[in-house]
Amino acid sequence: MLIRDADGGKDRPERPGVNRLHLSQILEVQSEAFEQLQAIRDRIGYTTIDLINDSQPDDGPVVDAESEVGIGRTIFCRSGRFGRTVRIDDGDPARNLDVISAAANSGSLVIAYLHHHHWASDWLKVPDWVGAFARQCIDAGASIFVSHGAPVLQPIEIYRGKPIFYSLGNFIYHTRSNLSAWRRTEVWESVGSLCSFGSDNRLTGLTLYPVLVGGEDGLQDPAIEKRLVPHLATGSSAERILRRLAIQSEKLGSQIAIVDGVGILRVS
């Protein structure tokens, strides 16, 4: 599945989305700010027709008149906090979940994969909407859920005996040194995951091998174009990568032990 923000641009072709998911961006604002947005909308005369036109070539989003304001391609929602999330259109998940169920009922081990670029402001955290959709896929019959888009390693959750990999980070990652956003050490850290399943397609074991894209020498070189291939991380680097993953995953109920530079996820 690919979140439907994949139109082509000047420097890249359109992405070949498979089973695309259409979504609306939601900005949560507190009541005072929400009322100010309502007043701005009304003063400039922004109407429902304007919202529909601005959404083309897609259909206009469904907006709750009491709790939401739609301007451009963004929906502002009255909330008790300031935050942001996305809302997947109702029909798209149902279509994908039906396909997952059909494949699982045939006896197949189903891997549900989602690529998106709507990660949290803190890249290391999992957006609520991704977690909710991941569990829906498992409920529908998927044996594994894998998500990618956020360029960092994120927690692993075990839900109903099935693994959810919210992001395994990068394995191969080629970019340019002048793109400073990708200099964070976490962007170049990952794990390779070896999963074992029983005859009922339930997880029986999970081993995690820490990875450095470009290796130790590559991380010390400011020319990130030279970080070409993944290397097995050892020593303090392996400990750092696995420890961070273990701490993050523990918040979701997953227990990862570190043994001889390898992560072992305990399956109950």
Side-chain angles (χ1 to χ4, degrees), residues 32 80 85 155 179 195 213 256:
E32 182 178 357
T85 186
L179 300 177
C195 301
V213 180
I256 298 174

Side-chain angles (χ1 to χ4, degrees), residues 102-121:
N105 290 336
S106 74
S108 299
L109 188 152
V110 180
I111 302 173
Y113 175 84
L114 172 70
H115 183 86
H116 71 92
H117 285 173
H118 298 273
W119 53 76
S121 297

